[in-house]
């Protein structure tokens, strides 16, 4: 059942101090990036649940949902403290089922409780103790695999929590997960910058900038209000799609390639393009800025130059050095096109477009087969 009350936007109103949810989302994204990168997915923050990863098939139907109720804690979680959380997660599971978003025939969902401290289930039956602990040495535990005596204790609830037949039906979707994140935003940020370094290595130049880019992308959708007080999976204002995330990652990795290229060959290319020592700092700045301007809809001249280089990429086959090829692109452009950019800006934009097109060709691995 879809929520339609003031609680739907409670998380938005209280988003100050919600770093743990966003950092948890980044942790989960990085933990699964090698699996995610080849799929069509979206991420939702503070909408139906703290964090949602949705996966779509070729017909744009939901094939899988992973929800996460994410809570940090300075002490371990005991059985009684988990009852409200478990009950809330079963309601989330039902809301997902009731949501009108089209679902595949084999759709399934996993609904997690994720925390940075230990979860301990304990009960005692006929003088025998039953225990299950989720922590750094055993990071996940599905409800369905808990000992039946522990499940029986949970199902009995307490004065505040009672499980209906509908909530009981959703219990088997619950997964308890330990997240190895620090307790403070500073510690979490430093850990996640390290995870960016582990996942992407030298393909990204600035891992701190990578973390901040993804963090603010998530914060942007978190700030959006649920329309009409109704939380829906299809609300695009609350979703960030893989088609948005992957270009962000692509820009970060291509900037690294462009930086390396210029460090190794920039001086020789400036010589070839007859750029004076006086103009070199401005030329280098135009070169670096061109990569962002290629993707800016307001920078029509830079987009025109990039399109020209991309359309004439066969020139890569006609030259044996980067310097000669960049000169080839510049001469062809001046023969066939015109630009309102200065001569210095044009040379820098041609060099940047050459680097980006060449790197893309290497990634596609088609030109050199």
């Amino acid at each position: 059942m879809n929520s339609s009350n003031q609680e739907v936007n409670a998380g938005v109103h209280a988003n100050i101090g919600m770093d743990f949810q966003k950092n948890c989302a980044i942790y989960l994204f990085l933990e699964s990036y090698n699996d995610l990168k080849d799929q069509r997915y979206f991420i939702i923050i503070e909408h139906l649940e703290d964090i949602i990863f949705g996966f779509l098939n070729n017909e744009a139907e939901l094939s899988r949902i992973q929800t996460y109720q994410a809570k940090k804690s300075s002490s371990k979680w005991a059985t009684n403290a988990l009852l409200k959380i478990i009950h809330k997660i079963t309601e989330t599971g039902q809301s997902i089922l009731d949501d009108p978003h089209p679902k595949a025939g084999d759709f399934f969902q996993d609904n997690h409780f994720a925390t940075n401290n230990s979860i301990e289930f304990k009960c005692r039956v006929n003088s025998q103790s039953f225990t299950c602990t989720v922590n750094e040495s055993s990071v996940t535990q599905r409800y369905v695999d808990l000992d039946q005596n522990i499940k029986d204790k949970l199902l009995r609830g307490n004065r505040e929590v009672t499980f209906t037949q509908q909530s009981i039906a959703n219990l088997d979707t619950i997964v308890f997960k330990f997240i190895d994140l620090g307790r403070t935003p500073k510690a979490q940020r430093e850990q996640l910058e390290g995870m960016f370094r582990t996942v992407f290595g030298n393909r990204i130049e600035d891992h701190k900038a990578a973390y901040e880019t993804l963090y603010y992308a998530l914060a942007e959708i978190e700030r959006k209000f649920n329309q009409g007080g109704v939380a829906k999976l299809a609300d695009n204002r609350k979703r960030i799609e893989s088609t948005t995330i992957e270009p962000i990652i692509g820009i970060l990795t291509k900037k690294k390639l462009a930086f390396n290229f210029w460090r190794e060959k920039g001086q020789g290319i400036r010589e070839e393009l007859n750029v004076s020592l006086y103009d070199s700092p401005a030329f280098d700045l135009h070169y670096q800025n061109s990569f962002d301007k290629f993707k800016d809809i307001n920078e029509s001249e830079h987009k025109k130059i990039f399109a020209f280089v991309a359309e004439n990429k066969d020139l890569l086959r006609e030259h044996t050095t980067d310097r000669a090829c960049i000169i080839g692109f510049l001469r062809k452009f001046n023969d066939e096109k015109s630009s309102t950019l200065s001569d210095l800006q044009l040379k820098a934009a041609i060099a940047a477009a050459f680097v980006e097109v060449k790197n893309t060709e290497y990634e596609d691995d088609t030109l050199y087969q």
Side-chain angles (χ1 to χ4, degrees):
M1 178 174 66
N2 285 323
S3 303
S4 180
N5 53 52
Q6 294 181 349
E7 290 185 359
V8 169
N9 281 319
V12 181
H13 288 296
N15 67 356
I16 297 174
M18 303 297 281
D19 285 326
F20 184 72
Q21 278 82 358
K22 291 188 286 292
N23 285 336
C24 193
I26 295 172
Y27 178 99
L28 296 165
F29 168 79
L30 291 171
E31 184 183 56
S32 305
Y33 180 72
N34 288 331
D35 177 48
L36 285 172
K37 66 182 181 182
D38 297 321
Q39 300 190 58
R40 184 180 175 187
Y41 65 92
F42 59 81
I43 302 174
I44 292 175
I45 299 289
E46 281 295 332
H47 190 62
L48 280 172
E49 188 54 282
D50 291 336
I51 306 162
I52 295 176
F53 283 72
F55 298 84
L56 304 171
N57 62 19
N58 292 334
E59 285 72 43
E61 298 171 326
L62 275 171
S63 58
R64 178 163 53 109
I65 281 280
Q66 293 175 334
T67 72
Y68 295 85
Q69 186 170 152
K71 294 188 182 299
K72 65 179 178 180
S73 177
S74 57
S75 58
K76 70 180 179 183
W77 296 87
T79 305
N80 284 334
L82 291 166
L83 286 173
K84 279 188 177 180
I85 292 170
I86 292 171
H87 188 264
K88 172 66 170 58
I89 294 175
T90 64
E91 292 180 335
T92 299
Q94 190 60 42
S95 294
I96 298 291
L97 291 176
D98 294 339
D99 190 278
H101 196 300
K103 300 179 181 69
D106 57 351
F107 168 80
F108 70 97
Q109 58 178 316
D110 287 326
N111 300 306
H112 299 74
F113 171 55
T115 183
N116 62 342
N117 214 312
S118 299
I119 303 169
E120 186 176 77
F121 299 98
K122 293 177 70 174
C123 71
R124 190 171 179 84
V125 179
N126 297 329
S127 302
Q128 184 176 356
S129 295
F130 298 90
T131 304
C132 175
T133 304
V134 182
N135 56 23
E136 55 268 62
S137 62
S138 181
V139 296
T140 60
Q141 172 67 48
R142 300 191 68 89
Y143 172 87
V144 70
D145 294 328
L146 285 171
D147 184 273
Q148 187 58 48
N149 290 295
I150 293 174
K151 288 194 278 190
D152 289 344
K153 180 177 181 179
L154 292 171
L155 285 172
R156 284 196 290 273
N158 58 24
R159 292 180 182 177
E160 298 178 351
V161 177
T162 302
F163 291 95
T164 65
Q165 286 303 311
Q166 187 177 71
S167 56
I168 290 171
N170 290 308
L171 283 170
D172 287 353
T173 69
I174 296 178
V175 182
F176 303 94
K177 182 175 178 64
F178 174 79
I179 299 287
D180 192 11
L181 270 178
R183 295 175 184 172
T184 66
K186 180 176 183 294
Q188 294 161 17
R189 183 175 65 248
E190 290 172 351
Q191 282 180 257
L192 293 171
E193 289 171 10
M195 285 186 74
F196 266 102
R197 188 173 292 104
T198 299
V199 173
F200 294 100
N202 292 329
R203 287 181 292 156
I204 287 180
E205 174 66 19
D206 189 339
H207 299 93
K208 179 182 178 183
Y211 162 77
E212 291 175 348
T213 301
L214 189 52
Y215 179 92
Y216 287 113
L218 295 174
E220 185 66 23
I221 59 169
E222 182 191 44
R223 284 194 292 268
K224 301 287 177 58
F225 282 86
N226 302 288
Q227 296 303 294
V230 177
K232 291 183 178 179
L233 291 169
D235 186 349
N236 289 329
R237 293 166 54 88
K238 299 294 292 184
R239 290 171 36 160
I240 182 168
E241 310 279 343
S242 54
T243 51
T244 300
I245 295 173
E246 291 307 317
I248 291 174
I249 300 299
I251 289 171
L252 291 167
T253 55
K254 286 178 180 176
K255 278 187 173 179
K256 168 65 175 176
L257 293 171
F259 176 83
N260 287 346
F261 177 88
W262 206 246
R263 184 174 56 192
E264 295 171 7
K265 301 183 178 181
Q267 181 174 347
I269 290 170
R270 285 193 297 270
E271 290 176 11
E272 198 74 30
L273 292 170
N274 198 29
V275 176
S276 70
L277 288 174
Y278 178 83
D279 287 332
S280 290
F283 181 83
D284 289 355
L285 184 61
H286 290 316
Y287 169 82
Q288 296 293 344
N289 290 339
S290 291
F291 294 97
D292 291 327
K293 291 183 176 181
F294 290 150
K295 297 167 180 65
D296 188 338
I297 59 174
N298 297 314
E299 298 290 344
S300 58
E301 283 299 298
H302 277 80
K303 293 183 77 68
K304 180 175 72 177
I305 291 165
F306 180 81
F308 176 84
V309 173
E311 290 165 3
N312 292 280
K313 61 186 179 184
D314 280 351
L315 280 180
L316 293 169
R317 298 181 185 277
E318 299 177 13
H319 298 278
T320 57
T321 68
D322 295 320
R323 295 163 62 168
C325 197
I326 290 172
I327 290 294
F329 276 115
L330 180 62
R331 287 174 177 163
K332 187 175 179 62
F333 183 88
N334 284 330
D335 288 343
E336 301 176 8
K337 303 284 185 180
S338 63
S339 176
T340 58
L341 297 181
S342 69
D343 182 62
L344 197 68
Q345 288 174 314
L346 175 62
K347 289 175 179 176
I350 290 282
F354 163 81
V355 172
E356 183 146 335
V357 169
K358 181 184 173 189
N359 286 335
T360 301
E361 289 302 309
Y362 275 122
E363 287 176 0
D364 292 344
D365 201 25
T366 55
L367 186 67
Y368 299 92
Q369 289 179 353

